Amino acid sequence: MDSPLTASVFPHTWGDDNFTYCPSTGLAEGNEHTPFAGWAFPFPGVFLAEEFVSEEEEAEMVELMDRDEWKPSQSGRKKQDYGPKVNFKKQRLKAGGFTGLPSFSKKIVAQMEACSVLGGFLPVEQCNLDYRPERGSAIDPHFDDWWLWGERLVSLNLLSKTVLSMSCDSEDTIQLFPTFGNENGELNPRASLTQTSACENSGKQGSSCLLSPRLVPSKEVTVAIHLPRRSLVVLYGDARYKWKHAIYRRHIEHRRVCVTFRELSAEFSAGGRREELGKELLEIALSFQGAPV
């Protein structure tokens, strides 16, 4: 069984990530030994479920994947695609050789229905990615396509823990607020963005001062989302459309298999311009009779 998200599991090897996402508070909290220690900001659009599958389920899925060919992909990865044939540049889409998602995913998709943020989620595509340290596997900061894929990106992290690194290259600023430690050494958010607190530099025990919000350029902030082995992560809202996501080589310590599910965008959903094509693709996908294309 994996341990909770604690410093003992994920030691301070953040690299360039200067904030860490806390699933229990929904905050991105400044890492120690960075200029942002003691500061935090809300980081919406992330849902993380630990131990989403059992060790037995994990072993069975990977064994079934390894029966099929892993095709070379970019940046030292290998992949297996279950989805329609797409030309993103020309925005063209057809079923092609798509025969559906694999049979072993039917149970996983059913389990997703219990997740609060996945109501009505109908995956039309599945991509398995194989990361290995000896190949230097990684993926650079990017947004997933917005024309075809819908809001929620769902990934199941198998075989080893890793870090999803979030970055933002907009000209916006982020408003940070101060945090303080409780008796357990944990960070807690302030009740408000400006609040009275003890001034350590005043020389007087219990004296108070006003700590104001701090504005920093978005480009200076990177947020580490720690993904334990067998966890499920969903990106939506700001985490989907405002923040790019990446997996860096330094965070691939052992073999890692990522199973990503994507839903259709509004254009291919009910009421959309290409609703009929979307229906056809979903019917194929949810037959769960597919092989990698």
Side-chain angles (χ1 to χ4, degrees):
M1 180 179 293
D2 288 322
S3 302
L5 299 178
T6 63
S8 62
V9 178
F10 297 107
H12 291 291
T13 55
W14 318 118
D16 294 332
D17 296 320
N18 44 38
F19 283 81
T20 297
Y21 175 74
C22 176
S24 62
T25 64
L27 298 174
E29 300 175 345
N31 291 331
E32 293 181 17
H33 313 301
T34 75
F36 303 109
W39 296 85
F41 66 97
F43 196 81
V46 179
F47 172 86
L48 182 65
E50 296 190 42
E51 298 194 5
F52 189 77
V53 296
S54 67
E55 292 183 18
E56 292 76 15
E57 289 170 326
E58 174 191 54
E60 180 182 9
M61 279 189 287
V62 175
E63 194 272 331
L64 290 171
M65 290 180 208
D66 285 342
R67 293 181 185 179
D68 289 316
E69 179 186 5
W70 288 94
K71 297 181 179 179
S73 184
Q74 298 173 329
S75 303
R77 295 170 294 147
K78 290 190 176 183
K79 67 179 180 179
Q80 295 173 341
D81 281 324
Y82 300 82
K85 187 174 182 179
V86 187
N87 185 321
F88 289 105
K89 188 174 183 180
K90 296 181 179 180
Q91 292 194 343
R92 293 179 181 172
L93 172 69
K94 61 181 180 180
F98 182 36
T99 55
L101 303 188
S103 59
F104 63 80
S105 293
K106 188 172 185 178
K107 182 179 179 181
I108 302 302
V109 172
Q111 287 176 219
M112 292 180 189
E113 296 177 2
C115 299
S116 58
V117 300
L118 290 176
F121 182 81
L122 298 174
V124 73
E125 193 250 14
Q126 175 178 328
C127 181
N128 304 334
L129 288 168
D130 182 280
Y131 290 74
R132 300 203 189 216
E134 60 269 25
R135 294 199 303 259
S137 301
I139 187 166
D140 292 334
H142 67 284
F143 294 113
D144 278 28
D145 178 79
W146 299 345
W147 162 67
L148 177 58
W149 308 132
E151 178 172 358
R152 294 167 292 187
L153 304 177
V154 184
S155 289
L156 183 61
N157 185 61
L158 303 177
L159 296 184
S160 64
K161 72 181 190 295
T162 193
V163 177
L164 191 63
S165 295
M166 312 294 290
S167 59
C168 183
D169 55 11
S170 77
E171 299 299 325
D172 296 341
T173 57
I174 294 175
Q175 183 169 269
L176 309 180
F177 63 89
T179 59
F180 68 98
N182 64 14
E183 62 272 15
N184 296 320
E186 298 170 340
L187 288 174
N188 288 325
R190 290 282 182 182
S192 64
L193 290 178
T194 57
Q195 183 168 333
T196 302
S197 71
C199 284
E200 295 179 356
N201 60 359
S202 67
K204 296 181 179 180
Q205 282 280 27
S207 64
S208 295
C209 66
L210 196 66
L211 291 179
S212 300
R214 173 184 174 187
L215 292 177
V216 298
S218 297
K219 292 180 179 180
E220 294 184 6
V221 172
T222 55
V223 180
I225 301 175
H226 290 280
L227 305 181
R229 181 176 178 177
R230 302 192 308 281
S231 64
L232 184 89
V233 65
V234 183
L235 301 182
Y236 60 97
D238 281 359
R240 162 79 161 106
Y241 296 117
K242 180 178 178 181
W243 292 82
K244 293 182 177 180
H245 56 276
I247 299 283
Y248 293 118
R249 288 174 177 82
R250 64 180 179 269
H251 293 139
I252 300 298
E253 301 174 358
H254 307 282
R255 185 188 183 193
R256 175 204 181 223
V257 170
C258 172
V259 183
T260 295
F261 300 91
R262 298 180 176 94
E263 63 184 343
L264 289 168
S265 67
E267 181 172 339
F268 297 89
S269 301
R273 185 170 63 90
R274 306 184 71 179
E275 175 184 358
E276 289 306 313
L277 178 55
K279 284 182 179 179
E280 176 190 346
L281 294 174
L282 276 174
E283 185 175 348
I284 295 171
L286 300 179
S287 69
F288 294 102
Q289 297 176 354
V293 295

